[in-house]
């Protein structure tokens, strides 16, 4: 069986256009601009995840980071607590870095979902809570009374060094 689809093609834009690709398509009144923006966002996310960037470039943090008894090395995705290696998943590591990047500012669950799991991921907001709880158990001295990975009630989470 052969299926035929009509795929909208972005309209050509002038080469001197100062707008980004998604904005240029929208400015040209393309009927499916939101679909194109979503596709561009997904491709950019995949490229960011798969590119071999220099140490610290993908994380926005360079060098060794210390808080409490925890030592974090973004370049090698190494975490030590009290000098002992702590096994964290890739998702937990990205979540911790996402919080640290904000330097104390509150991150909503939705912001963290987009940044850590990616645009369009089929993940519940509660996944953030679950991973935060795991990070606290692994990194905080007293997970029930955290000093570094803090809850902002009804908002999300923030990191305090």
């Amino acid at each position: 069986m052969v299926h035929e689809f009509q795929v909208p093609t972005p309209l050509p834009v002038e080469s001197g256009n100062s707008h980004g690709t998604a904005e240029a398509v929208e400015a040209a009144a393309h009927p499916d601009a939101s679909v194109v923006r979503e596709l561009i966002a997904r491709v950019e996310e995949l490229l960011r995840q798969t590119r071999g960037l220099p140490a610290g470039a993908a994380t926005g943090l360079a060098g060794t980071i210390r808080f409490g008894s925890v030592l974090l090395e973004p370049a090698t995705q190494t975490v030590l607590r009290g000098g002992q290696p702590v096994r964290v998943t890739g998702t937990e590591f990205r979540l911790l870095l996402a919080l640290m990047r904000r330097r104390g500012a509150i991150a909503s669950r939705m912001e963290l979902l987009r940044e850590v799991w990616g645009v369009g991921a089929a993940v519940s907001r509660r996944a953030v809570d679950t991973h935060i709880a795991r990070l606290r158990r692994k990194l905080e001295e007293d997970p029930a009374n955290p000093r570094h990975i803090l809850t902002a009630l009804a908002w999300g989470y923030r990191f305090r060094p």
Side-chain angles (χ1 to χ4, degrees), residues 2 7 17 30 34 51 60 62 67 75 94 126 133 138 144 148 154:
V2 175
V7 178
N17 190 340
H30 192 280
S34 63
R51 271 190 202 127
F67 63 94
R94 289 190 311 273
R126 298 296 297 170
K138 293 176 181 183
H148 304 289

Side-chain angles (χ1 to χ4, degrees), residues 62-94:
T64 302
I65 302 160
R66 183 181 301 273
F67 63 94
S69 63
V70 176
L71 189 69
L72 184 79
E73 181 61 55
T76 59
Q77 293 194 4
T78 303
V79 180
L80 301 173
R81 180 172 175 224
Q84 298 299 315
V86 177
R87 187 172 182 182
V88 295
T89 66
T91 301
E92 291 167 344
F93 194 86
R94 289 190 311 273

Side-chain angles (χ1 to χ4, degrees), residues 108-146:
S108 73
R109 286 174 180 83
M110 290 307 293
E111 289 172 336
L112 293 170
L113 279 172
R114 279 192 299 272
E115 187 171 337
V116 175
W117 281 267
V119 176
V123 179
S124 162
R125 288 186 211 186
R126 298 296 297 170
V128 174
D129 302 332
T130 301
H131 283 78
I132 290 286
R134 288 181 186 158
L135 278 173
R136 285 177 174 160
R137 283 193 299 272
K138 293 176 181 183
L139 304 178
E140 293 279 0
E141 300 288 330
D142 180 6
N145 299 298

Side-chain angles (χ1 to χ4, degrees), residues 25-84:
V25 169
E26 190 170 34
H30 192 280
D32 293 314
S34 63
V35 173
V36 174
R37 277 196 312 274
E38 175 74 16
L39 178 62
I40 290 169
R42 287 180 185 211
V43 169
E44 286 174 345
E45 175 66 18
L46 286 171
L47 287 172
R48 185 186 64 75
Q49 290 176 4
T50 58
R51 271 190 202 127
L53 297 175
T59 64
L61 299 169
T64 302
I65 302 160
R66 183 181 301 273
F67 63 94
S69 63
V70 176
L71 189 69
L72 184 79
E73 181 61 55
T76 59
Q77 293 194 4
T78 303
V79 180
L80 301 173
R81 180 172 175 224
Q84 298 299 315

